[in-house]
Amino acid sequence: MNRSSTRDSLKTIGEFGLIRQLQRQWPTSSPRIVTGIGDDAAMLKTPPGQQLLISTDVLIEGIHFDLNYQTPKDLGWRAGVANLSDIAAMGGTPLYLLVSMALPVRVPPRHIRELYRGIQAACRPFNVELIGGDTSASPSQIFLSLTIMGSTRVNRALTRSNAEIGDHIFVTGTLGDANAGLRILQTHSANRRRPSAVETFLIRRHLRPAPRIHVGQLLANRKLAHAAIDLSDGLSSDIGHVCEDSRVGAEVRATDLPLSSQLRAFARRDKTDPVKIALQGGEDYELLFTAPAKHHQNVLRVSEQTKVPITCIGQIKPKTFGRQLVFPSGRKQKLSIESFRHFNSR
């Protein structure tokens, strides 16, 4: 270790030195912030006529991420998008962010600054302000926790519990790309070969997903959707959350799932089913939402306005129908949860 890297270590600069560095890196300017970083708690002004949205995510090294095949900046971007996507699913506007970390002393401060640059880059287009957080030592792993606050107009927030029988089921973007990208990264970490154009696309979809903030806002403000959720755990799991909370069933048409040409090419090469990858795939951070049939064309106009593809993949059914995947032949199979679940052995 050279002299400069010795000086630039967590042990040398300490907790408060790191906080001061990060505070300078991400200064706040919003008049809505009465007190921000540096006090015991942040003090904020709530926009009039708005309801507050709050969400939090925890990322643990070895479970949610592996720095062997992503950079600290990539990690920061994905952590930021995970939180932004929760606000998007509620149809809200992201406003403030708190970042807490537990760090082993082996982590260089420059990696932490890069992680913050990733978070900042993801949040900058939406003018999100950093208002606080916490830092702590960790014996071995990196623990990262982000809490985001946002707002939505009173009685306009989208939830998981309002899907109605007969609603059309829509998703944004394409599904399964992030799952495929993760599989490629895990393979490349072993053989180190240069990725193809198809692989590069899928890897980027995993490392740099896009939050669908504008889509969610338009769906909520125009009262087009009944229920919504972001696809963080995977389609098969997340549609199950909507069905359970809304006490309904769902029919999903396998042929209507939006699959990128890159995912199809990857599946052909690996002799796997692209539909299964899409059902399993988490961390696409697309939106799944339900809307009345009468709003179908208005939903497609949102797609045109935001330039985000939106696809109808099925319909909400009575609870007794269950959750079923329908194939072109008419055959149906239970839409079982195939996505990652914490505390479940695989």
Side-chain angles (χ1 to χ4, degrees):
M1 181 179 289
N2 61 38
R3 185 176 299 175
S4 60
S5 62
T6 302
R7 287 197 300 267
D8 190 28
S9 69
L10 289 178
K11 188 174 182 179
T12 303
I13 66 173
E15 175 188 0
F16 295 104
L18 178 62
I19 291 172
R20 284 191 295 271
Q21 286 185 3
L22 299 174
Q23 189 175 5
R24 289 193 297 270
Q25 183 175 321
W26 196 339
T28 58
S29 59
S30 172
R32 296 187 301 261
I33 301 174
V34 181
T35 61
I37 298 173
D39 221 310
D40 289 315
M43 193 184 318
L44 311 170
K45 296 177 181 177
T46 304
Q50 302 279 309
Q51 291 176 311
L52 191 63
L53 304 172
I54 303 175
S55 181
T56 191
D57 279 290
V58 173
L59 300 174
I60 301 172
E61 187 177 14
I63 295 178
H64 300 98
F65 64 91
D66 187 335
L67 291 176
N68 286 319
Y69 49 76
Q70 62 182 291
T71 67
K73 190 171 183 179
D74 291 330
L75 171 60
W77 178 284
R78 290 179 59 244
V81 168
N83 279 253
L84 291 166
S85 188
D86 287 333
I87 300 298
M90 302 290 287
T93 299
L95 298 173
Y96 313 113
L97 192 67
L98 296 101
V99 179
S100 296
M101 297 177 291
L103 304 166
V105 71
R106 63 175 168 81
V107 178
R110 68 179 183 278
H111 284 185
I112 306 306
R113 292 191 292 269
E114 281 299 301
L115 186 151
Y116 263 78
R117 287 189 182 98
I119 299 173
Q120 192 174 17
C123 292
R124 186 183 296 116
F126 310 104
N127 299 314
V128 175
E129 300 271 18
L130 180 67
I131 60 170
D134 194 19
T135 58
S136 172
S138 167
S140 58
Q141 296 164 290
I142 299 172
F143 293 80
L144 178 63
S145 176
L146 274 66
T147 298
I148 195 165
M149 300 181 189
S151 67
T152 184
R153 292 168 60 185
V154 173
N155 298 324
R156 293 291 176 89
L158 302 174
T159 70
R160 304 177 182 184
S161 59
N162 288 326
E164 296 183 5
I165 296 169
D167 278 0
H168 289 183
I169 303 170
F170 295 89
V171 292
T172 62
T174 54
L175 307 180
D177 294 338
N179 186 349
L182 176 59
R183 297 183 189 194
I184 294 165
L185 283 168
Q186 290 170 333
T187 302
H188 277 257
S189 66
N191 60 35
R192 301 293 183 184
R193 66 177 177 81
R194 185 182 181 88
S196 67
V198 164
E199 291 171 330
T200 299
F201 172 87
L202 296 171
I203 288 171
R204 184 164 182 82
R205 286 278 286 153
H206 174 75
L207 295 179
R208 297 297 175 100
R212 303 305 189 184
I213 295 290
H214 196 195
V215 173
Q217 290 171 336
L218 292 178
L219 293 174
N221 291 335
R222 295 177 183 177
K223 297 185 177 181
L224 297 179
H226 280 152
I229 190 171
D230 76 318
L231 295 176
S232 55
D233 295 330
L235 178 65
S236 62
S237 178
D238 290 322
I239 199 170
H241 295 320
V242 172
C243 288
E244 290 171 7
D245 289 2
S246 297
R247 297 178 295 280
V248 295
E251 179 182 79
V252 174
R253 299 183 294 269
T255 53
D256 289 338
L257 295 179
L259 308 177
S260 68
S261 60
Q262 292 87 349
L263 176 64
R264 293 181 188 275
F266 169 81
R268 283 194 300 271
R269 188 199 72 184
D270 279 30
K271 296 181 174 57
T272 57
D273 182 1
V275 170
K276 189 169 185 178
I277 296 175
L279 293 175
Q280 292 176 336
E283 299 182 330
D284 281 315
Y285 297 113
E286 299 293 348
L287 297 184
L288 179 147
F289 61 94
T290 78
K294 66 180 181 180
H295 289 331
H296 191 109
Q297 290 304 314
N298 289 330
V299 167
L300 297 185
R301 290 190 189 99
V302 170
S303 176
E304 294 173 3
Q305 183 173 346
T306 59
K307 295 181 172 52
V308 174
I310 297 178
T311 307
C312 181
I313 63 169
Q315 191 174 34
I316 294 296
K317 298 287 188 177
K319 185 176 181 179
T320 53
F321 182 87
R323 301 190 290 274
Q324 299 193 45
L325 185 66
V326 182
F327 295 90
S329 63
R331 179 176 68 88
K332 297 179 181 179
Q333 74 176 42
K334 181 180 178 182
L335 186 60
S336 57
I337 296 176
E338 300 187 47
S339 313
F340 175 81
R341 289 183 288 173
H342 291 280
F343 312 117
N344 281 52
S345 60
R346 296 299 301 264

